[in-house]
Amino acid sequence: MRLLVTGAAGFIGSTYVRTVLEERPDDEIVVLDKLTYAGRRENLEEVADRIEFVEGAIEDRETVLEAMEGCDAVVNFAAESHVDRSISDQYAFVHTHVLGTSVLLDATRHHGVARYLQVSTDEVYGSIEEGSFTERSPLNPSSPYSATKAAGDLLVSAHVHTYGLEAVICRGSNNYGPRQYPEKLIPLCILNAMAGDHLPVYGDGRQVRNWLYVEDFARAIDLVLREGTPGEAYNVGGPDEEENIEVVRRILELTGRDESLIEHVTDRPGHDRRYSLSSDKVRALGWEPRVRFAEGLERTVEWYRDNEWWWGPIRSGEYREYYERHYGRSLG
Ligand code: NAD
Ligand code: DAU
């Protein structure tokens, strides 16, 4: 197979590329990535000589058509992935998730590519107090991030219905693991705890997330790409649900810090209270998560402890300005 993988210089996409090359060393991979603040060539360093890398945006039709030439499948990870940033400035989200997805789908049709997988999120369903969302639950997104991701999903469905495109959608719950940009709760708190900085908890911290180790998500995506029924969506939820405050407490334990570092800060506007996915459909294809939260979190803390070369430059660059703007205080 020759795969076009977009957004693969990011956290999940780079894990996916490593997973595919481990499992099927003969597959060819073309990566198309715009290298936003979250996209980093070093995420693909270990496989650099086994992939073709194209720097470009999924909304740029000519670049996309060229990169897709000769491909058998497209896997679209490219996105603006941070909810807080979508609240303060939504335009890049609309551009990438709506226009970008439309260009990719149109190019897929143009080239007659056999398979397309859209990487999506549990956030398209909105918040749920009890029980879990299935693939038949209505889309009810809350933030500009999730609304534009839902728009991307609807464009995929439109291409299935109108043009018979063999596309599938994979909706994942909250991922965590090595190489996640430290604007997200888990890496942010690990790095802050290691530095002795405060850990910002939005509101009461009782919001619940369904944590999924990134390698488990990568395996699910690959399975759905190969075995999923065209036109269908598949939920991929992690094995454990945790309140944010519990996650933060565990990070403090693993880093040998005490709870005086916790600081409750102003809540995220429109903050979804709980996410929960039923993954029965992807489990029926043979997937199951291998990493429970306690083990995955330990591995993740260890990775950040051992890889300052990766996060050191981030903490001193654009991220520092973002942090000051968003949290109204500087990093220590
Ligand atoms: P990330 O921010 O780490 O990486 C996103 C990548 O996309 C970066 O390499 C960036 O440079 C690239 N990109 C952004 N805009 C682009 C554009 N217009 N054209 C080409 N490349 C572009 O994100 P992530 O956490 O790895 O998320 C990957 C995908 O998985 C996203 O679609 C996201 O919505 C989805 N998802 C994420 C999670 C999570 O918990 N992180 C959970 C479920 C689904
Ligand atoms: O659910 C899947 C989604 O998970 C993905 O689609 C998104 O791309 C990904 O960013 C993630 O979204 P969240 O908003 O859930 O992730 P984040 O790490 O930003 O926040 C996790 C929870 O922690 C959420 O309830 C908000 C809270 N939080 C976050 C930050 C950054 C805090 O309490 N303090 C913080 O400083």
Side-chain angles (χ1 to χ4, degrees), residues 174-196:
N174 278 67
N175 277 228
Y176 68 105
R179 300 179 188 80
Q180 186 169 31
Y181 197 81
E183 63 195 351
K184 309 289 174 11
L185 178 72
I186 288 183
L188 184 152
C189 287
I190 293 173
L191 296 188
N192 281 17
M194 288 189 333

PDB file of all heavy atoms in Angstrom, residues 174-196:
ATOM      1  N   ASN A 174      -9.957  11.178  24.367  1.00  0.00           N
ATOM      2  CA  ASN A 174      -8.730  11.922  24.707  1.00  0.00           C
ATOM      3  C   ASN A 174      -7.477  11.048  24.667  1.00  0.00           C
ATOM      4  O   ASN A 174      -7.353  10.112  25.448  1.00  0.00           O
ATOM      5  CB  ASN A 174      -8.824  12.499  26.120  1.00  0.00           C
ATOM      6  CG  ASN A 174      -9.600  13.787  26.155  1.00  0.00           C
ATOM      7  OD1 ASN A 174     -10.809  13.771  25.909  1.00  0.00           O
ATOM      8  ND2 ASN A 174      -8.930  14.874  26.443  1.00  0.00           N
ATOM      9  N   ASN A 175      -6.556  11.388  23.764  1.00  0.00           N
ATOM     10  CA  ASN A 175      -5.288  10.660  23.679  1.00  0.00           C
ATOM     11  C   ASN A 175      -4.253  11.261  24.614  1.00  0.00           C
ATOM     12  O   ASN A 175      -4.283  12.455  24.926  1.00  0.00           O
ATOM     13  CB  ASN A 175      -4.723  10.775  22.259  1.00  0.00           C
ATOM     14  CG  ASN A 175      -5.317   9.774  21.286  1.00  0.00           C
ATOM     15  OD1 ASN A 175      -4.594   9.117  20.558  1.00  0.00           O
ATOM     16  ND2 ASN A 175      -6.643   9.646  21.268  1.00  0.00           N
ATOM     17  N   TYR A 176      -3.304  10.425  25.024  1.00  0.00           N
ATOM     18  CA  TYR A 176      -2.152  10.908  25.791  1.00  0.00           C
ATOM     19  C   TYR A 176      -0.994   9.970  25.494  1.00  0.00           C
ATOM     20  O   TYR A 176      -1.192   8.848  24.989  1.00  0.00           O
ATOM     21  CB  TYR A 176      -2.463  10.941  27.304  1.00  0.00           C
ATOM     22  CG  TYR A 176      -2.629   9.568  27.909  1.00  0.00           C
ATOM     23  CD1 TYR A 176      -1.637   9.007  28.703  1.00  0.00           C
ATOM     24  CD2 TYR A 176      -3.753   8.788  27.615  1.00  0.00           C
ATOM     25  CE1 TYR A 176      -1.765   7.723  29.223  1.00  0.00           C
ATOM     26  CE2 TYR A 176      -3.883   7.501  28.119  1.00  0.00           C
ATOM     27  CZ  TYR A 176      -2.897   6.979  28.919  1.00  0.00           C
ATOM     28  OH  TYR A 176      -3.013   5.707  29.404  1.00  0.00           O
ATOM     29  N   GLY A 177       0.226  10.431  25.805  1.00  0.00           N
ATOM     30  CA  GLY A 177       1.417   9.615  25.538  1.00  0.00           C
ATOM     31  C   GLY A 177       2.567  10.503  25.110  1.00  0.00           C
ATOM     32  O   GLY A 177       2.454  11.735  25.143  1.00  0.00           O
ATOM     33  N   PRO A 178       3.688   9.893  24.682  1.00  0.00           N
ATOM     34  CA  PRO A 178       4.858  10.659  24.260  1.00  0.00           C
ATOM     35  C   PRO A 178       4.568  11.589  23.087  1.00  0.00           C
ATOM     36  O   PRO A 178       3.756  11.262  22.229  1.00  0.00           O
ATOM     37  CB  PRO A 178       5.852   9.573  23.832  1.00  0.00           C
ATOM     38  CG  PRO A 178       5.441   8.355  24.573  1.00  0.00           C
ATOM     39  CD  PRO A 178       3.948   8.440  24.693  1.00  0.00           C
ATOM     40  N   ARG A 179       5.259  12.719  23.042  1.00  0.00           N
ATOM     41  CA  ARG A 179       5.236  13.687  21.930  1.00  0.00           C
ATOM     42  C   ARG A 179       3.952  14.496  21.819  1.00  0.00           C
ATOM     43  O   ARG A 179       3.652  15.045  20.775  1.00  0.00           O
ATOM     44  CB  ARG A 179       5.509  13.012  20.574  1.00  0.00           C
ATOM     45  CG  ARG A 179       6.851  12.319  20.495  1.00  0.00           C
ATOM     46  CD  ARG A 179       7.050  11.649  19.144  1.00  0.00           C
ATOM     47  NE  ARG A 179       8.248  10.847  19.145  1.00  0.00           N
ATOM     48  CZ  ARG A 179       8.325   9.621  19.677  1.00  0.00           C
ATOM     49  NH1 ARG A 179       7.262   9.073  20.234  1.00  0.00           N
ATOM     50  NH2 ARG A 179       9.472   8.967  19.662  1.00  0.00           N
ATOM     51  N   GLN A 180       3.175  14.585  22.893  1.00  0.00           N
ATOM     52  CA  GLN A 180       1.988  15.452  22.821  1.00  0.00           C
ATOM     53  C   GLN A 180       2.406  16.871  23.187  1.00  0.00           C
ATOM     54  O   GLN A 180       3.099  17.100  24.188  1.00  0.00           O
ATOM     55  CB  GLN A 180       0.900  14.959  23.788  1.00  0.00           C
ATOM     56  CG  GLN A 180      -0.405  15.733  23.636  1.00  0.00           C
ATOM     57  CD  GLN A 180      -1.578  15.092  24.377  1.00  0.00           C
ATOM     58  OE1 GLN A 180      -1.385  14.452  25.412  1.00  0.00           O
ATOM     59  NE2 GLN A 180      -2.789  15.269  23.856  1.00  0.00           N
ATOM     60  N   TYR A 181       1.970  17.823  22.394  1.00  0.00           N
ATOM     61  CA  TYR A 181       2.355  19.230  22.610  1.00  0.00           C
ATOM     62  C   TYR A 181       1.867  19.676  23.987  1.00  0.00           C
ATOM     63  O   TYR A 181       0.716  19.428  24.363  1.00  0.00           O
ATOM     64  CB  TYR A 181       1.724  20.080  21.502  1.00  0.00           C
ATOM     65  CG  TYR A 181       2.351  21.436  21.381  1.00  0.00           C
ATOM     66  CD1 TYR A 181       3.554  21.609  20.688  1.00  0.00           C
ATOM     67  CD2 TYR A 181       1.750  22.548  21.957  1.00  0.00           C
ATOM     68  CE1 TYR A 181       4.132  22.869  20.580  1.00  0.00           C
ATOM     69  CE2 TYR A 181       2.334  23.803  21.848  1.00  0.00           C
ATOM     70  CZ  TYR A 181       3.518  23.957  21.158  1.00  0.00           C
ATOM     71  OH  TYR A 181       4.092  25.199  21.056  1.00  0.00           O
ATOM     72  N   PRO A 182       2.722  20.358  24.749  1.00  0.00           N
ATOM     73  CA  PRO A 182       2.399  20.599  26.164  1.00  0.00           C
ATOM     74  C   PRO A 182       1.356  21.682  26.446  1.00  0.00           C
ATOM     75  O   PRO A 182       1.263  22.157  27.578  1.00  0.00           O
ATOM     76  CB  PRO A 182       3.763  20.981  26.762  1.00  0.00           C
ATOM     77  CG  PRO A 182       4.572  21.443  25.630  1.00  0.00           C
ATOM     78  CD  PRO A 182       4.096  20.732  24.399  1.00  0.00           C
ATOM     79  N   GLU A 183       0.523  22.005  25.449  1.00  0.00           N
ATOM     80  CA  GLU A 183      -0.647  22.849  25.732  1.00  0.00           C
ATOM     81  C   GLU A 183      -1.782  21.983  26.309  1.00  0.00           C
ATOM     82  O   GLU A 183      -2.705  22.509  26.921  1.00  0.00           O
ATOM     83  CB  GLU A 183      -1.130  23.505  24.434  1.00  0.00           C
ATOM     84  CG  GLU A 183      -1.603  22.478  23.409  1.00  0.00           C
ATOM     85  CD  GLU A 183      -1.756  22.988  21.997  1.00  0.00           C
ATOM     86  OE1 GLU A 183      -1.663  24.202  21.771  1.00  0.00           O
ATOM     87  OE2 GLU A 183      -1.965  22.144  21.089  1.00  0.00           O
ATOM     88  N   LYS A 184      -1.718  20.650  26.098  1.00  0.00           N
ATOM     89  CA  LYS A 184      -2.778  19.745  26.543  1.00  0.00           C
ATOM     90  C   LYS A 184      -2.580  19.381  28.011  1.00  0.00           C
ATOM     91  O   LYS A 184      -1.451  19.376  28.512  1.00  0.00           O
ATOM     92  CB  LYS A 184      -2.796  18.473  25.683  1.00  0.00           C
ATOM     93  CG  LYS A 184      -2.823  18.710  24.177  1.00  0.00           C
ATOM     94  CD  LYS A 184      -4.138  19.256  23.713  1.00  0.00           C
ATOM     95  CE  LYS A 184      -4.255  19.672  22.262  1.00  0.00           C
ATOM     96  NZ  LYS A 184      -3.289  19.383  21.280  1.00  0.00           N
ATOM     97  N   LEU A 185      -3.681  19.037  28.695  1.00  0.00           N
ATOM     98  CA  LEU A 185      -3.646  18.877  30.153  1.00  0.00           C
ATOM     99  C   LEU A 185      -2.488  18.006  30.666  1.00  0.00           C
ATOM    100  O   LEU A 185      -1.733  18.421  31.551  1.00  0.00           O
ATOM    101  CB  LEU A 185      -4.971  18.279  30.652  1.00  0.00           C
ATOM    102  CG  LEU A 185      -5.001  18.044  32.170  1.00  0.00           C
ATOM    103  CD1 LEU A 185      -5.097  19.361  32.936  1.00  0.00           C
ATOM    104  CD2 LEU A 185      -6.151  17.113  32.567  1.00  0.00           C
ATOM    105  N   ILE A 186      -2.362  16.793  30.120  1.00  0.00           N
ATOM    106  CA  ILE A 186      -1.390  15.851  30.716  1.00  0.00           C
ATOM    107  C   ILE A 186       0.065  16.312  30.536  1.00  0.00           C
ATOM    108  O   ILE A 186       0.780  16.456  31.539  1.00  0.00           O
ATOM    109  CB  ILE A 186      -1.649  14.405  30.239  1.00  0.00           C
ATOM    110  CG1 ILE A 186      -2.927  13.913  30.937  1.00  0.00           C
ATOM    111  CG2 ILE A 186      -0.468  13.483  30.513  1.00  0.00           C
ATOM    112  CD1 ILE A 186      -3.330  12.484  30.666  1.00  0.00           C
ATOM    113  N   PRO A 187       0.526  16.594  29.315  1.00  0.00           N
ATOM    114  CA  PRO A 187       1.931  17.031  29.217  1.00  0.00           C
ATOM    115  C   PRO A 187       2.171  18.376  29.899  1.00  0.00           C
ATOM    116  O   PRO A 187       3.245  18.599  30.474  1.00  0.00           O
ATOM    117  CB  PRO A 187       2.176  17.113  27.704  1.00  0.00           C
ATOM    118  CG  PRO A 187       0.831  17.137  27.069  1.00  0.00           C
ATOM    119  CD  PRO A 187      -0.098  16.421  27.978  1.00  0.00           C
ATOM    120  N   LEU A 188       1.172  19.261  29.851  1.00  0.00           N
ATOM    121  CA  LEU A 188       1.331  20.557  30.532  1.00  0.00           C
ATOM    122  C   LEU A 188       1.588  20.339  32.029  1.00  0.00           C
ATOM    123  O   LEU A 188       2.512  20.915  32.615  1.00  0.00           O
ATOM    124  CB  LEU A 188       0.080  21.409  30.303  1.00  0.00           C
ATOM    125  CG  LEU A 188       0.058  22.845  30.846  1.00  0.00           C
ATOM    126  CD1 LEU A 188      -0.849  23.713  29.996  1.00  0.00           C
ATOM    127  CD2 LEU A 188      -0.383  22.939  32.288  1.00  0.00           C
ATOM    128  N   CYS A 189       0.774  19.473  32.620  1.00  0.00           N
ATOM    129  CA  CYS A 189       0.914  19.257  34.069  1.00  0.00           C
ATOM    130  C   CYS A 189       2.198  18.498  34.399  1.00  0.00           C
ATOM    131  O   CYS A 189       2.832  18.761  35.424  1.00  0.00           O
ATOM    132  CB  CYS A 189      -0.323  18.539  34.612  1.00  0.00           C
ATOM    133  SG  CYS A 189      -1.736  19.654  34.665  1.00  0.00           S
ATOM    134  N   ILE A 190       2.602  17.574  33.537  1.00  0.00           N
ATOM    135  CA  ILE A 190       3.865  16.852  33.803  1.00  0.00           C
ATOM    136  C   ILE A 190       5.031  17.851  33.805  1.00  0.00           C
ATOM    137  O   ILE A 190       5.846  17.877  34.738  1.00  0.00           O
ATOM    138  CB  ILE A 190       4.111  15.744  32.748  1.00  0.00           C
ATOM    139  CG1 ILE A 190       3.059  14.636  32.878  1.00  0.00           C
ATOM    140  CG2 ILE A 190       5.526  15.171  32.887  1.00  0.00           C
ATOM    141  CD1 ILE A 190       3.114  13.581  31.772  1.00  0.00           C
ATOM    142  N   LEU A 191       5.094  18.685  32.763  1.00  0.00           N
ATOM    143  CA  LEU A 191       6.235  19.616  32.677  1.00  0.00           C
ATOM    144  C   LEU A 191       6.185  20.648  33.799  1.00  0.00           C
ATOM    145  O   LEU A 191       7.222  20.989  34.384  1.00  0.00           O
ATOM    146  CB  LEU A 191       6.272  20.305  31.307  1.00  0.00           C
ATOM    147  CG  LEU A 191       6.511  19.392  30.097  1.00  0.00           C
ATOM    148  CD1 LEU A 191       6.724  20.206  28.832  1.00  0.00           C
ATOM    149  CD2 LEU A 191       7.713  18.469  30.313  1.00  0.00           C
ATOM    150  N   ASN A 192       4.986  21.146  34.102  1.00  0.00           N
ATOM    151  CA  ASN A 192       4.891  22.129  35.186  1.00  0.00           C
ATOM    152  C   ASN A 192       5.271  21.503  36.521  1.00  0.00           C
ATOM    153  O   ASN A 192       5.979  22.111  37.324  1.00  0.00           O
ATOM    154  CB  ASN A 192       3.488  22.722  35.262  1.00  0.00           C
ATOM    155  CG  ASN A 192       3.269  23.790  34.201  1.00  0.00           C
ATOM    156  OD1 ASN A 192       4.023  23.861  33.232  1.00  0.00           O
ATOM    157  ND2 ASN A 192       2.259  24.627  34.369  1.00  0.00           N
ATOM    158  N   ALA A 193       4.813  20.276  36.747  1.00  0.00           N
ATOM    159  CA  ALA A 193       5.146  19.617  38.021  1.00  0.00           C
ATOM    160  C   ALA A 193       6.653  19.404  38.112  1.00  0.00           C
ATOM    161  O   ALA A 193       7.267  19.683  39.153  1.00  0.00           O
ATOM    162  CB  ALA A 193       4.399  18.280  38.127  1.00  0.00           C
ATOM    163  N   MET A 194       7.258  18.954  37.021  1.00  0.00           N
ATOM    164  CA  MET A 194       8.721  18.726  37.062  1.00  0.00           C
ATOM    165  C   MET A 194       9.458  20.033  37.357  1.00  0.00           C
ATOM    166  O   MET A 194      10.477  20.039  38.037  1.00  0.00           O
ATOM    167  CB  MET A 194       9.208  18.111  35.738  1.00  0.00           C
ATOM    168  CG  MET A 194       8.763  16.660  35.613  1.00  0.00           C
ATOM    169  SD  MET A 194       9.447  15.689  34.226  1.00  0.00           S
ATOM    170  CE  MET A 194       9.822  16.820  32.974  1.00  0.00           C
ATOM    171  N   ALA A 195       8.914  21.157  36.851  1.00  0.00           N
ATOM    172  CA  ALA A 195       9.584  22.457  37.060  1.00  0.00           C
ATOM    173  C   ALA A 195       9.182  23.116  38.376  1.00  0.00           C
ATOM    174  O   ALA A 195       9.709  24.177  38.730  1.00  0.00           O
ATOM    175  CB  ALA A 195       9.247  23.379  35.885  1.00  0.00           C
ATOM    176  N   GLY A 196       8.204  22.513  39.085  1.00  0.00           N
ATOM    177  CA  GLY A 196       7.724  23.128  40.335  1.00  0.00           C
ATOM    178  C   GLY A 196       6.779  24.301  40.100  1.00  0.00           C
ATOM    179  O   GLY A 196       6.548  25.115  40.991  1.00  0.00           O
TER     180      GLY A 196
END
